[in-house]
């Protein structure tokens, strides 16, 4: 069924939609459209895409990157083969990630007249059993995540609702409300759930100034890290006089452990697109760019389809919805440079130049892409826009804290039971996310820290688990919101090693333009490497240089923060500063005792063999790369400490746990 062709009176031609087209799609009576039979047909089409009044089963398969990585592609093909072989009429619908990545592949089934039920870990080998049982009235309780709340259909009395699941019950899904629910390749499904109604309202009922006022009053702040007020940025760009203006969506998600933008685009690309179009109208831009990492092929594919469909429906092009607004949307693929997340470096990349930051001012709102006024917003910021327009400023402002309104999407990963995509109200505590939503630390391990904001962020220790998630509260403890990565660490993580990992990442990703970042981060990494170096691997002069470097580490970090050219360089020392602040005792053990309490820094490890447990099997001696283990077969073996390089091969290979690591 095609919404474009469902009513000729309401849609004059594919190239020139009438002004009230979107209103009619939602069954809202308009002055140009009085025919009752046409309105009934439109409602019938909308009902079809909302899967109301089903006459055959609908089977949804989570086909985001996380689902595909868990085997959802094979699951999808198995379901198609099953229904074909059984002669079953059913709609098989690919959807994005609903957020619960730990339970992928996820399959939902909706039977006629019944609620939609979600099932977990449905790999290819479980498909036949699931469909055999559920399609014949038997519920496999061990696979159920929950059922969805729906009107006018019969629920399963014995099943809990999905919003009661521990992962979902404390979430407020504003940006993610469609992710994992609708087919991201279907503009009709997006429209059936209120899609493009906000764009219609903006173009036909609001001036540019009014749109900027609404966004400013909502209190929406940029979700890319800095938290600059979005409405204020839009007003600054609108006030600029220019023959050409641009708006750019920054989807260059480069933080380790972050996958929010990717999941939003894969699950609901039209919401991003609608927010981008509204933003373009509000600032007077006629050209929009989506700058996205080339490493996101699925997200790019779905964006390309969304843009094509939006053009077909008349939401992109010339005189959109019979208004004076015209817009072109272009996808620009980035080459994976972390520095291109910085807005001036991103602009240079789009212009075909090397991605390097430039000094500011002038800011992009005055002189940005090709020297013209430019607004840059990230994916989550733009995805908030349609909902603010539709649901109203007061609804948005009712969420969050006094200075941080709305919700925030986080990618929850690391040492956590329930990894995935989480959207919570601003003001939610880190403890609530880690232990209530994420389920806590697996294996009975103790929580140590959570890294928030990626390499530019900081580590939050156990004593600050109750800090509220808002821009100011996080800054007060040496962290920052960032784009939204949350990496959880337990007692087995070494914080010196964590700092070293992020500093290595930052040093490699530095554009090299300014000396403080280029040379300073390299020197910080050298110092961190020396902290985890064994005495046997250093000379006397290196030992003296090691202590000197450690003494100047904090001072060096502060110099880099104060003198680097761009925001990425200024925040580069944050992982070191935050771990030094909260885990100084761990640094001191490394520095003074040459030991790693977590057993991660291999050079600081020492190995011995417990002669009472050793059976003389000789496996350890055979696998030692430097022949540091001696002993006769059948008798206890010994490690020659001076020859041992602490590789851990003996520890890993021993069947009798006779090798002791200290």
């Amino acid at each position: 069924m095609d919404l474009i062709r469902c009513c000729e009176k309401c849609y004059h031609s594919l190239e020139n939609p009438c002004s009230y087209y979107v209103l009619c799609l939602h069954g809202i009576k308009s002055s140009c459209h009085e025919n009752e039979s046409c309105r009934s047909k439109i409602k019938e089409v909308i009902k079809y895409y909302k899967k109301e009044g089903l006459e055959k089963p609908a089977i949804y398969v989570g086909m985001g990157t996380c689902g595909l990585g868990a085997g959802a592609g094979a699951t999808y093909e198995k379901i198609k083969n099953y229904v074909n072989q059984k002669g079953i009429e059913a709609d098989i619908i690919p959807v994005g990630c609903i957020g619960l990545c730990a339970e992928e592949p996820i399959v939902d089934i909706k039977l006629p007249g019944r609620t939609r039920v979600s099932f977990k870990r449905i790999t290819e080998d479980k498909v036949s059993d699931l469909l055999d049982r559920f399609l014949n009235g038997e519920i496999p309780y061990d696979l159920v995540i929950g059922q969805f709340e729906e009107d006018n259909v019969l629920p399963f009395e014995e099943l809990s609702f999905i919003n009661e699941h521990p992962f979902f019950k404390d979430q407020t899904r504003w940006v993610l409300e469609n992710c994992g629910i609708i087919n991201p390749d279907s503009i009709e499904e997006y429209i059936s759930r209120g899609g493009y109604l906000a764009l219609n309202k903006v173009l036909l009922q609001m001036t540019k100034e009014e749109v900027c006022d609404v966004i400013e009053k909502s209190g929406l702040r940029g979700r890319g890290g800095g938290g600059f007020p979005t409405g204020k940025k839009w007003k600054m760009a609108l006030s600029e006089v220019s023959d050409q203006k641009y708006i750019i969506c920054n989807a260059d998600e480069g933080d380790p452990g972050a996958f929010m933008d990717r999941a939003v685009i894969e699950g609901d690309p039209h919401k991003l697109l609608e927010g981008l179009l509204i933003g373009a109208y509000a600032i007077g831009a006629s050209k929009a760019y989506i700058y996205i990492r080339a490493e996101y092929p699925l997200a790019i594919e779905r964006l390309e389809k969304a843009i094509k469909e939006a053009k077909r429906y008349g939401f992109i092009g010339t005189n959109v919805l019979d208004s004076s607004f015209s817009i072109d949307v272009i996808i620009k693929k980035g080459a994976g440079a972390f520095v291109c997340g910085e807005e001036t470096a991103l602009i240079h990349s789009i212009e075909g130049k090397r991605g390097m930051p430039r000094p500011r001012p002038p800011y992009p709102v005055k002189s940005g892409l090709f020297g013209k006024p430019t607004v840059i917003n990230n994916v989550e910021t733009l995805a908030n826009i349609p909902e603010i327009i539709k649901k109203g400023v007061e609804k948005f402002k009712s969420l969050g804290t006094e200075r941080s309104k709305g919700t925030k999407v986080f990618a929850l990963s690391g040492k956590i039971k329930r990894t995935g995509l989480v959207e919570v109200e601003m003001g939610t505590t880190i403890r609530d996310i880690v232990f209530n939503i994420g389920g806590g630390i697996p294996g009975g391990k103790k929580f140590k820290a959570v890294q928030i904001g990626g390499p530019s962020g900081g580590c939050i220790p156990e004593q600050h688990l109750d800090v509220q998630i808002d821009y100011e509260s996080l800054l007060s403890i040496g962290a920052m919101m960032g784009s939204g990565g949350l990496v959880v660490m337990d007692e087995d993580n070494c914080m010196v090693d964590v700092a070293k990992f992020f500093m290595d990442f930052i040093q490699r990703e530095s554009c090299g333009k300014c000396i403080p970042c280029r040379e300073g981060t390299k020197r910080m990494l050298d110092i961190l490497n020396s902290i985890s170096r064994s005495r046997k691997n250093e000379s006397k002069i290196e030992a003296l240089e090691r202590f000197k470097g450690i003494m100047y580490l904090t001072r060096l970090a502060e110099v880099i923060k104060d003198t680097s050219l761009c925001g990425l360089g200024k925040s580069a020392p944050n992982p070191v500063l935050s771990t030094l602040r909260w885990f100084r005792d761990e640094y001191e053990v490394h520095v003074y005792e040459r030991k790693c309490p977590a057993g991660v820094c291999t050079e600081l490890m020492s190995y011995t063999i417990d002669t009472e447990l050793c059976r003389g099997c000789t496996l350890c001696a055979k696998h030692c790369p430097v022949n540091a283990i001696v002993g006769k077969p059948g008798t206890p073996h010994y490690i020659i400490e001076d020859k041992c390089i602490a590789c851990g091969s003996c520890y890993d290979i021993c069947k009798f746990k006779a090798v002791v690591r200290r």
Side-chain angles (χ1 to χ4, degrees), residues 265-520:
I265 294 171
E266 289 178 357
D268 195 7
H270 285 283
K271 179 171 283 188
L272 163 61
L273 207 53
E274 186 175 10
L276 184 67
L277 298 176
I278 293 171
Y281 169 76
I283 69 168
S286 60
K287 187 167 287 188
Y289 284 87
I290 301 174
Y291 189 89
I292 184 169
R293 304 176 70 80
E295 295 95 331
Y296 285 175
L298 182 59
I300 292 170
E301 178 186 335
R302 289 180 176 169
L303 263 180
E304 289 173 340
K305 288 180 180 178
I307 291 171
K308 182 179 179 181
E309 286 296 280
K311 286 180 178 177
R312 190 168 72 94
Y313 271 71
F315 301 131
I316 296 174
T318 304
N319 299 328
V320 175
L321 299 179
D322 267 1
S323 71
S324 59
F325 173 62
S326 299
I327 186 70
D328 187 22
V329 179
I330 301 164
I331 293 176
K332 171 67 176 179
K333 299 176 187 178
F338 179 68
V339 72
C340 286
E342 197 277 337
E343 58 183 16
T344 60
L346 182 153
I347 286 171
H348 285 156
S349 180
I350 293 177
E351 291 174 341
K353 303 171 185 175
R354 182 178 176 185
M356 300 177 76
R358 64 162 173 79
R360 298 176 299 173
Y363 291 93
V365 290
K366 284 188 173 292
S367 178
L369 187 62
F370 304 115
K372 303 295 184 178
T374 304
V375 161
I376 302 174
N377 294 126
N378 88 323
V379 171
E380 187 181 344
T381 306
L382 292 170
N384 270 287
I385 302 299
E387 302 307 310
I388 293 173
I389 299 295
K390 284 190 299 184
K391 297 175 182 177
V393 168
E394 295 307 316
K395 176 66 174 176
F396 185 79
K397 290 178 70 175
S398 70
L399 302 172
T401 63
E402 183 179 351
R403 298 183 63 183
S404 299
K405 301 298 183 183
T407 63
K408 182 71 187 78
V409 180
F410 289 98
L412 190 58
S413 61
K415 306 289 185 65
I416 191 79
K417 288 180 181 177
R418 291 190 286 266
T419 57
L421 206 63
V422 173
E423 185 176 6
V424 294
E425 186 176 347
M426 290 281 197
T428 303
T429 66
I430 295 289
R431 186 185 300 276
D432 287 336
I433 294 178
V434 172
F435 291 96
N436 295 343
I437 297 175
I441 315 300
K445 298 286 186 176
K446 185 180 179 182
F447 172 89
K448 179 177 274 190
V450 60
Q451 171 78 12
I452 185 170
S456 302
C459 289
I460 298 176
E462 187 175 17
Q463 61 262 43
H464 289 294
L465 271 173
D466 292 313
V467 66
Q468 287 189 328
I469 289 177
D470 63 47
Y471 293 95
E472 285 69 35
S473 296
L474 291 173
L475 285 174
S476 71
I477 59 170
M480 63 183 291
M481 186 79 73
S483 56
L486 271 180
V487 183
V488 181
M489 289 166 275
D490 67 10
E491 61 191 72
D492 292 334
N493 286 103
C494 168
M495 302 313 294
V496 175
D497 187 66
V498 168
K500 190 163 58 174
F501 168 81
F502 283 111
M503 190 52 58
D504 177 65
F505 177 85
I506 290 169
Q507 200 276 319
R508 284 186 287 106
E509 292 291 340
S510 172
C511 73
K513 184 174 184 178
C514 70
I515 292 173
C517 180
R518 182 184 72 232
E519 301 298 331

Side-chain angles (χ1 to χ4, degrees), residues 338-339 342 344 357-361 363 453-458 475 478-480 503 506 510-511 514-518 520-521 524 554-578:
F338 179 68
V339 72
E342 197 277 337
T344 60
R358 64 162 173 79
R360 298 176 299 173
Y363 291 93
S456 302
L475 285 174
M480 63 183 291
M503 190 52 58
I506 290 169
S510 172
C511 73
C514 70
I515 292 173
C517 180
R518 182 184 72 232
T521 55
M524 288 187 75
T554 302
R555 181 178 172 184
L556 176 60
E558 295 296 343
V559 170
I560 295 171
K561 285 183 67 174
D562 293 341
T563 59
S564 289
L565 174 63
C566 74
L568 295 180
K570 292 179 184 298
S571 60
N574 285 353
V576 175
L577 291 174
S578 66

